[in-house]
Amino acid sequence: MAEQPRRNADGAPVGRRALLGMLAAGAAGLAAAPYLQSGWEDVLGAASQVDATGLTGLLPNPGGFRYYSVVGSVPRKNDTNYGLTIGGLVDRPRTYTLPELRALPQTRVVHDVLCTDGWRVDNTPFEGVKLADLLDAAGVRSEGAAIRFTCFDGAYTESLTLEQARRSDVLVALKMQDKPITHEHGGPVRLFVAPMYFYKSAKWLSGISVTDKVIPGFWEERGYAVDGWLDDADRGDGSA
Ligand SMILES: Nc1nc2c(c(=O)[nH]1)N[C@H]1C(S)=C(S)[C@@H](COP(=O)(O)O)O[C@H]1N2
Ligand SMILES: [Mo]
């Protein structure tokens, strides 16, 4: 539902994974953003060429997951250099270290993970701090209506409405499959939005900014639905 099938110049469907493969394998320092902004025509032409070389086959697929990144390399962060900043339309902006996040009450959510590319990993446990708790601590101002998420890969962004962000199944996750989140899966901290397609779960999370309206994220600027609900999602408050 969220992803429209894309077609190249010959009308053949082009998987987004080909594009991701191209980006992951991308040239020096990866000028991903300007390249993408050159328009789908160019991007898809290049993507299908890369696909033909088999580069996308280099992406590993352990345990049913695939690793996705829209940039070629991402810095590694740990206890000493990781920070999560909460700001925007809040009364008490602050930056949390990793030990500080670990010291907060932790919630475990088990949910099926689905990517719009068609793969899924059922009953995956995630654990971390409820985004709602961090928002409450920050004191969202009355003008606040949405959240913009930014990542230390320097490129990916995501969004949620404030109502979605306050659900009890939306986590700032520190663990995935009961282990600290690996670098490849977006560690040390990623978002987990259980009731939505996995593209909403931003990896390498570094910024949470309260905004007065939804600002479409990376893939949403490229055609994905801003509301990434899974087909069977309970669109209520997530507490059911
Ligand atoms: N920072 C960042 N977050 C991201 C992505 C990305 O490319 N960069 N890809 C998204 C998509 S489309 C999916 S399916 C999942 C993949 O998570 P995984 O690599 O841990 O399997 O991460 C989401 N979050
Ligand atoms: Mo995805």
Side-chain angles (χ1 to χ4, degrees), residues 16-26 50 55-56 59 69:
R16 183 190 50 137
R17 195 143 48 89
L19 171 62
L20 290 164
M22 172 190 71
L23 293 172
V50 171
L55 281 174
T56 55
L59 293 173
S69 177

Side-chain angles (χ1 to χ4, degrees), residues 17-120:
R17 195 143 48 89
L19 171 62
L20 290 164
M22 172 190 71
L23 293 172
L30 196 66
Y35 194 65
L36 284 167
Q37 280 158 14
S38 71
W40 275 115
E41 245 42 326
D42 294 356
V43 170
L44 294 179
S48 44
Q49 282 163 29
V50 171
D51 199 30
T53 69
L55 281 174
T56 55
L58 298 175
L59 293 173
N61 183 18
F65 281 96
R66 297 206 175 101
Y67 298 139
Y68 285 154
S69 177
V70 297
V71 300
S73 80
V74 179
R76 287 174 185 266
K77 300 274 187 183
N78 55 37
D79 276 28
T80 61
N81 62 2
Y82 176 79
L84 175 62
T85 299
I86 307 206
L89 300 171
V90 298
D91 290 330
R92 297 174 292 279
R94 68 167 284 184
T95 299
Y96 290 88
T97 66
L98 205 43
E100 284 169 340
L101 288 173
R102 273 192 216 110
L104 295 172
Q106 306 289 304
T107 298
R108 190 168 179 269
V109 171
V110 180
H111 205 278
D112 299 345
V113 162
L114 281 86
C115 170
T116 55
D117 281 351
W119 56 270
R120 62 186 294 157

Side-chain angles (χ1 to χ4, degrees), residues 167-186:
R167 291 174 60 109
S168 54
D169 54 0
V170 174
L171 300 180
V172 169
L174 309 175
K175 288 185 176 181
M176 178 173 163
Q177 295 175 316
D178 296 316
K179 288 179 291 254
I181 300 175
T182 62
H183 174 72
E184 289 72 19
H185 281 305

Side-chain angles (χ1 to χ4, degrees), residues 133-151:
D133 291 350
L134 297 178
L135 293 173
D136 286 347
V140 175
R141 294 197 193 145
S142 56
E143 319 91 86
I147 316 289
R148 175 160 174 89
F149 301 95
T150 50
C151 305

